[in-house]
Amino acid sequence: MPISMQAVSDWYNEIVERAGLAEHAPVRGCMIIKPYGWALWEQIQRPLDEAFRATGHQNAYFPLFIPLSFLAREAQHVEGFAQECAIVTHYRIKTDPDTRQVAPDPEAELEEPLVVRPTSETIIWHAFRNWIKSYRDLPLLINQWANVVRWEKRPRLFLRTAEFLWQEGHTAHATAEEALQEALRILDIYERFVQEYLAIPVVKGRKTPSERFAGAVETFTIETLLIDGKALQAGTSHFLGQNFAKAFDVKFLNPKNELEYVWATSWGVSTRLIGALILSHGDEKGIILPPRVAPIQVVIVPIWRTEEERLSVGQKAQEIGDRLQRQGIRVKVDDDPQHRPGWKFNEWELRGVPLRLAIGPKDLQTESVEVAWRHTGEKQTYPLSAAIEQLPHWLETIQKGLFERAQKRIQRQTHYTDVYSEMQTLLEEQGGFIMAHWDGTPETELAIKQETGATIRCIPLEPSEEKGRCIYTGRPSSCRVLFAKAY
RNA sequence: CGAGGCGUAGCGCAGCCCGGUAGCGCACCUGCUUUGGGAGCAGGGGGUCAGCGGUUCAAAUCCGCUCGCCUCGACCA
């Protein structure tokens, strides 16, 4: 079922705003994250933060501003970000007494311009130089939750914004092997979180040199496919080798009293995950949130006619809400008299709440409740006690159901082919993942990109080892790689 | 950054071609009736027509520039 990209694009823009997740800020490419969107981000942060702590990482915070000269220390790094850096050049504004216009004070120019961080490798490695003296200081496992700025040419809410929020991990290790293991360990954490919490299936893989992070020796990624057939990088983890250690002269004494450069990783996931969530599970009614990250897991809508009913039904609804809350369920009782039940049904469906309980005078008589599933649209009435008892189980079933549904969709959108013309047709008509052989050269990769618009999203870490011939040149290839058009 | 489209009330849009009183739906306010799938009726409030400049007796309307949004392309972890 190919969905027109235009339709999905319009749907996405409308739904993000109508569901109360975010809106455009007056600054191009920037967004205002609204309370519901922020609550969702907090649900994403919490389990990730726990997973980082559980693996020995510590949170810290580094400055927003980076001296321009820091970026220049690592040649590839500065090349990668030069095109999209915001720069602070003045420290004072001045009001023209005649026109009342405000402008940077020409007399208040900074001696060295400050780059608004596009990522924090350089300023963090500057600090690491002082923190690391001995092998006893390693491994150094640091994470920070922060905003970064990349002056994007084509911004989209959540998916690609000029300013975005993320976590960035930065670690230093005594050996290359250990750093590489760290990069892969984080990739596993990302995979588990995205699949088990966001219910989004991903493919773990390595980036080709042309898609690699500027300054990395190896970039790992988790890639997913969205409902419109476009791929999205949902998280990355980099093995940085000794590139930044050398650029910032970070050495440690090993047990044999020899000086060595340390080995490094960096890794991150961002508010882009919210975009991935919307474009993985949404439908014509709005967004659909997996229970584990839904700010509201269950909404209770009381229904009444008379004032007397409003009180009795309202009281019952509140009672059920309190019971569920004590069970650790995130629940909202929507007793707002401003809106009628039908309005509330639509509103909470738009906002993706996984389960809805509706209770009215009839249910009060029979001690029952109407249960509605957001992701299937199914509706059924249950005895109240049974519903309360079953609810945690239902939430788990929904979580699993969403993942499996997304997995089946991606399977349908994934094509194995050895014929280039077929690949072109598929990419043009429906997008999706294309698993094809590649001869391993940047020239072929570039040619395919220029002719089809698709890039190599990753070389899967768990390839189906299979000898074949490059789909473009016919030269020998040892495994299939994942092609797709990407966001 | 290049090409195209769009910008009129909080939101969605008509009006622009052919210059002359700024409109419709939703939302908002008041009242009554309503409430199990986005309620009905009646009354009411809200606009420097994105901004700046030009043409004209007169500009939402014609012309130029700037900004923003959308699509495609270039670029981008």
Side-chain angles (χ1 to χ4, degrees):
Chain A
M1 180 175 56
I3 303 161
S4 119
M5 299 217 216
Q6 172 75 59
V8 171
S9 183
D10 290 346
W11 170 87
Y12 179 83
N13 292 328
E14 190 189 329
I15 241 64
V16 167
E17 296 212 15
R18 284 216 299 143
L21 295 173
E23 60 190 39
H24 289 279
V27 181
R28 177 186 161 77
C30 293
M31 62 178 167
I32 296 165
I33 302 177
K34 297 180 77 178
Y36 193 56
W38 185 261
L40 181 53
W41 179 236
E42 286 180 330
Q43 290 301 325
I44 290 171
Q45 285 182 294
R46 196 174 33 79
L48 278 171
D49 202 53
E50 276 168 20
F52 299 149
R53 287 169 199 277
T55 43
H57 301 82
Q58 291 183 292
N59 284 333
Y61 186 79
F62 296 83
L64 172 67
F65 301 121
I66 299 176
L68 187 53
S69 58
F70 278 31
L71 272 179
R73 295 252 204 120
E74 218 288 331
Q76 284 180 306
H77 191 61
V78 67
E79 210 172 295
F81 286 105
Q83 300 301 315
E84 47 184 4
C85 282
I87 301 154
V88 179
T89 54
H90 293 73
Y91 59 87
R92 195 163 62 206
I93 55 171
K94 195 178 170 183
T95 307
D96 186 298
D98 300 325
T99 64
R100 306 304 303 165
Q101 299 257 319
V102 292
D105 185 341
E107 287 171 21
E109 193 167 343
L110 291 170
E111 256 177 59
E112 180 176 6
L114 297 171
V115 173
V116 181
R117 62 180 167 216
T119 178
S120 302
E121 271 78 3
T122 58
I123 200 144
I124 286 179
W125 278 86
H126 180 262
F128 278 7
R129 180 183 151 86
N130 295 324
W131 295 6
I132 297 167
K133 299 294 177 201
S134 146
Y135 71 94
R136 296 181 208 274
D137 298 323
L138 300 173
L140 180 58
L141 308 175
I142 298 294
N143 177 63
Q144 82 165 343
W145 290 95
N147 58 338
V148 289
V149 169
R150 295 175 191 180
W151 218 254
E152 297 290 350
K153 303 275 167 40
R154 280 181 72 182
R156 303 207 55 192
L157 292 175
F158 291 115
L159 293 171
R160 185 186 288 109
T161 46
E163 179 191 18
F164 59 91
L165 305 180
W166 73 344
Q167 57 71 215
E168 48 179 322
H170 297 271
T171 69
H173 306 263
T175 65
E177 174 62 18
E178 191 187 301
L180 191 58
Q181 286 315 308
E182 165 76 2
L184 289 167
R185 174 170 70 161
I186 295 298
L187 194 69
D188 284 341
I189 289 175
Y190 287 162
E191 177 193 38
R192 207 170 320 127
F193 170 75
V194 171
Q195 297 202 145
E196 292 179 10
Y197 283 78
L198 305 183
I200 299 173
V202 296
V203 177
K204 279 191 296 187
R206 287 183 295 126
K207 285 292 189 186
T208 62
S210 70
E211 297 276 325
R212 201 178 276 158
F213 172 71
V217 172
E218 188 85 86
T219 288
F220 300 103
T221 177
I222 48 171
E223 295 284 327
T224 189
L225 194 66
L226 305 177
I227 50 179
D228 56 359
K230 278 175 152 178
L232 185 79
Q233 178 172 304
T236 54
S237 183
H238 315 290
F239 169 58
L240 301 173
Q242 294 176 312
N243 291 348
F244 286 90
K246 286 177 178 166
F248 287 86
D249 194 33
V250 185
K251 295 179 200 160
F252 71 104
L253 276 170
N254 68 20
K256 289 180 270 178
N257 205 30
E258 298 161 341
L259 269 180
E260 284 187 61
Y261 286 113
V262 300
W263 299 82
T265 78
S266 70
W267 28 274
V269 295
S270 71
T271 35
R272 172 182 270 195
L273 287 177
I274 294 176
L277 207 47
I278 298 162
L279 285 167
S280 289
H281 306 305
D283 64 16
E284 64 287 349
K285 287 178 170 177
I287 69 172
I288 300 178
L289 296 176
R292 281 193 198 154
V293 292
I296 300 167
Q297 296 171 306
V298 181
V299 64
I300 303 175
V301 178
I303 295 155
W304 66 82
R305 278 169 202 279
T306 65
E307 180 64 13
E308 192 185 329
E309 283 172 352
R310 190 175 78 84
L311 291 173
S312 58
V313 171
Q315 193 185 355
K316 192 70 180 177
Q318 196 58 56
E319 201 180 298
I320 300 166
D322 290 345
R323 275 186 69 178
L324 293 176
Q325 198 155 30
R326 279 198 299 276
Q327 289 180 39
I329 291 169
R330 294 187 291 274
V331 59
K332 175 173 177 69
V333 178
D334 187 359
D335 54 4
D336 185 352
Q338 303 297 320
H339 294 293
R340 304 172 58 195
W343 191 92
K344 295 176 185 175
F345 293 170
N346 285 289
E347 185 68 10
W348 293 115
E349 282 165 1
L350 169 65
R351 305 184 108 195
V353 175
L355 271 181
R356 179 184 73 230
L357 305 184
I359 182 158
K362 284 181 244 164
D363 305 300
L364 223 51
Q365 299 303 317
T366 56
E367 275 287 309
S368 57
V369 65
E370 184 195 76
V371 185
W373 278 257
R374 172 63 182 89
H375 73 309
T376 58
E378 187 194 349
K379 237 172 20 175
Q380 207 179 323
T381 298
Y382 288 88
L384 187 54
S385 57
I388 290 172
E389 195 186 323
Q390 284 294 302
L391 217 133
H393 168 69
W394 285 336
L395 290 174
E396 274 310 299
T397 311
I398 294 168
Q399 183 78 34
K400 217 178 294 170
L402 280 173
F403 180 77
E404 282 164 9
R405 189 159 84 178
Q407 201 167 34
K408 278 183 196 145
R409 168 177 60 76
I410 293 176
Q411 273 164 14
R412 280 199 308 275
Q413 293 168 298
T414 301
H415 305 277
Y416 287 72
T417 178
D418 298 314
V419 183
Y420 187 58
S421 61
E422 186 177 285
M423 175 175 174
Q424 286 176 300
T425 309
L426 282 165
L427 284 168
E428 200 163 314
E429 285 174 3
Q430 45 184 297
F433 280 154
I434 307 285
M435 289 288 280
H437 282 284
W438 167 55
D439 62 16
T441 68
E443 293 76 25
T444 302
E445 185 183 14
L446 184 64
I448 292 175
K449 180 181 173 181
Q450 282 170 346
E451 287 174 28
T452 67
T455 49
I456 298 177
R457 304 314 303 157
C458 70
I459 303 160
L461 285 190
E462 290 143 26
S464 43
E465 286 291 343
E466 177 198 302
K467 295 236 182 295
R469 294 196 165 274
C470 175
I471 192 161
Y472 193 76
T473 61
R475 291 200 284 249
S477 151
S478 60
C479 72
R480 288 179 187 272
V481 299
L482 194 56
F483 286 91
K485 288 191 190 176
Y487 266 96

